[in-house]
Amino acid sequence: MKAPPPHLHPDAEHEILPHLANLVAYTIRDKVVLEQMEEIRQLRALLDATRRVEITGMNGSPIFAVGDFTKGEFNSEALHGEGVLWDVGLSMAHQNEVVDGNSARRDATTATSSGAVPLDQLSHIEIRIGGILYATSDEIDGTKVAVGIRPGNRFDLRNNNSTTEEGSLDMTRSVVSEFDTENKTALLTFHMRGFPKGHWRSLQSVAMVNRSIAIRNEEREENGDLQNEYDDTEQPLDVFKYITGHLAERHPDQCADITSVSFSVMSVRDTIANLRRGTEFEKLKIEHLT
């Protein structure tokens, strides 16, 4: 009588079963590991989204510039009474999403190949933290626009030494616009790359005149002299509207690089308080949040 084939032998079957069991176990384990890895990836994506700072068009689209809130820095060198700020460096979002606009020329993309934004698009922007709306361009006080590098803003100082495909990024050609509401303040810095020198000097002069008018009005309020508060000769110019309107029409190809945004510390206090960045940072939190 012939012996049964090896694959039918009872002993062979006993040897195969453990291997099958191991294979099933490995398959189940690999599936569980893959599911856990996907869950971790999704959680990381959610975490990244919560700390993401975005400068966008209206209703969150398109995205012009992005930054990481957790990599921000305290800045106590305020321009004129903003208090301590939380500076966040931004990078332009290189994309080709079409931007809707009011002028005929804007059927085009958000910007040049570098991602820079046409000046007129700055009149319709939003600041978002973790996808949540913080402020819109409707809240910009155009009379408080400043020009040049803002004191203490290390991100713009770093950018001042950087270069782009189109040349050196001279951050002294920068505009700082202030979002001013009752409960929060934000400062947005954008650089007008290659803007004509003569026109830039004129812009500087207007900003300086505005500042002088603001100082005089503050002095009048302190002294109780409000007679000339609404004197036509003392009314400041809305520089932001001038840039995004008149200058945008006069220089249709002029674009801006959005380089940083700064938040009043008290308006983002809880978010900063939850950051963990070592012993030195904890000392800074105690100093600036208490």
Side-chain angles (χ1 to χ4, degrees):
M1 183 175 178
K2 293 183 179 180
H7 64 279
L8 296 178
H9 196 284
D11 292 338
E13 290 181 6
H14 287 299
E15 291 178 4
I16 291 172
L17 287 176
H19 290 299
L20 288 174
N22 288 336
L23 179 61
V24 171
Y26 288 139
T27 302
I28 293 173
R29 186 188 67 181
D30 290 345
K31 183 181 179 182
V32 171
V33 169
L34 289 173
E35 289 175 348
Q36 289 177 337
M37 289 175 64
E38 176 60 19
E39 186 176 347
I40 291 171
R41 187 196 66 78
Q42 291 179 5
L43 289 172
R44 284 178 176 170
L46 286 173
L47 179 61
D48 289 342
T50 59
R51 68 189 193 187
R52 185 179 172 95
V53 176
E54 297 173 331
I55 310 302
T56 74
M58 302 307 289
N59 300 316
S61 180
I63 298 172
F64 294 130
V66 295
D68 188 337
F69 188 93
T70 66
K71 295 180 179 179
E73 297 179 359
F74 288 109
N75 182 359
S76 56
E77 297 183 42
L79 278 173
H80 43 83
E82 298 98 343
V84 180
L85 298 170
W86 181 254
D87 294 340
V88 177
L90 301 172
S91 299
M92 297 305 296
H94 298 257
Q95 58 181 0
N96 293 316
E97 183 175 349
V98 173
V99 180
D100 293 328
N102 296 321
S103 74
R105 78 174 181 83
R106 279 166 297 144
D107 304 91
T109 59
T110 58
T112 63
S113 59
S114 66
V117 184
L119 289 184
D120 49 5
Q121 294 304 313
L122 294 174
S123 61
H124 304 287
I125 56 175
E126 297 177 344
I127 300 175
R128 292 175 174 270
I129 305 176
I132 299 173
L133 181 64
Y134 179 89
T136 75
S137 52
D138 291 338
E139 298 168 293
I140 290 178
D141 186 341
T143 65
K144 293 183 179 180
V145 165
V147 295
I149 297 177
R150 187 166 58 79
N153 190 329
R154 298 181 185 178
F155 296 103
D156 289 339
L157 288 173
R158 291 168 191 160
N159 281 327
N160 196 41
N161 297 320
S162 68
T163 56
T164 68
E165 294 176 0
E166 299 180 17
S168 176
L169 196 61
D170 179 9
M171 288 302 296
T172 56
R173 296 279 175 92
S174 293
V175 176
V176 183
S177 50
E178 180 174 337
F179 295 72
D180 194 9
T181 64
E182 184 177 350
N183 299 318
K184 57 183 181 288
T185 297
L187 301 177
L188 184 72
T189 302
F190 58 90
H191 164 69
M192 294 167 62
R193 183 187 303 170
F195 191 69
K197 193 171 185 178
H199 294 164
W200 179 254
R201 286 178 176 172
S202 298
L203 200 59
Q204 286 178 309
S205 298
V206 172
M208 290 175 65
V209 169
N210 275 359
R211 182 60 188 144
S212 298
I213 292 173
I215 291 173
R216 286 198 294 271
N217 286 339
E218 287 173 5
E219 291 175 348
R220 287 171 183 160
E221 288 182 10
E222 290 176 0
N223 298 328
D225 178 16
L226 301 179
Q227 276 188 330
N228 298 320
E229 184 179 0
Y230 299 104
D231 186 340
D232 290 341
T233 61
E234 290 290 296
Q235 291 306 300
L237 174 70
D238 190 321
V239 179
F240 187 76
K241 285 185 178 179
Y242 178 74
I243 291 172
T244 58
H246 177 74
L247 289 186
E249 291 180 4
R250 192 168 181 179
H251 304 275
D253 296 323
Q254 180 65 53
C255 292
D257 297 279
I258 305 174
T259 55
S260 69
V261 62
S262 304
F263 305 97
S264 58
V265 163
M266 288 302 103
S267 69
V268 289
R269 185 183 184 282
D270 292 342
T271 308
I272 297 174
N274 290 328
L275 298 181
R276 298 292 179 267
R277 283 175 23 183
T279 304
E280 291 303 316
F281 184 70
E282 292 302 315
K283 292 179 181 178
L284 288 173
K285 286 201 297 186
I286 292 172
E287 178 183 349
H288 294 300
L289 300 183
T290 56

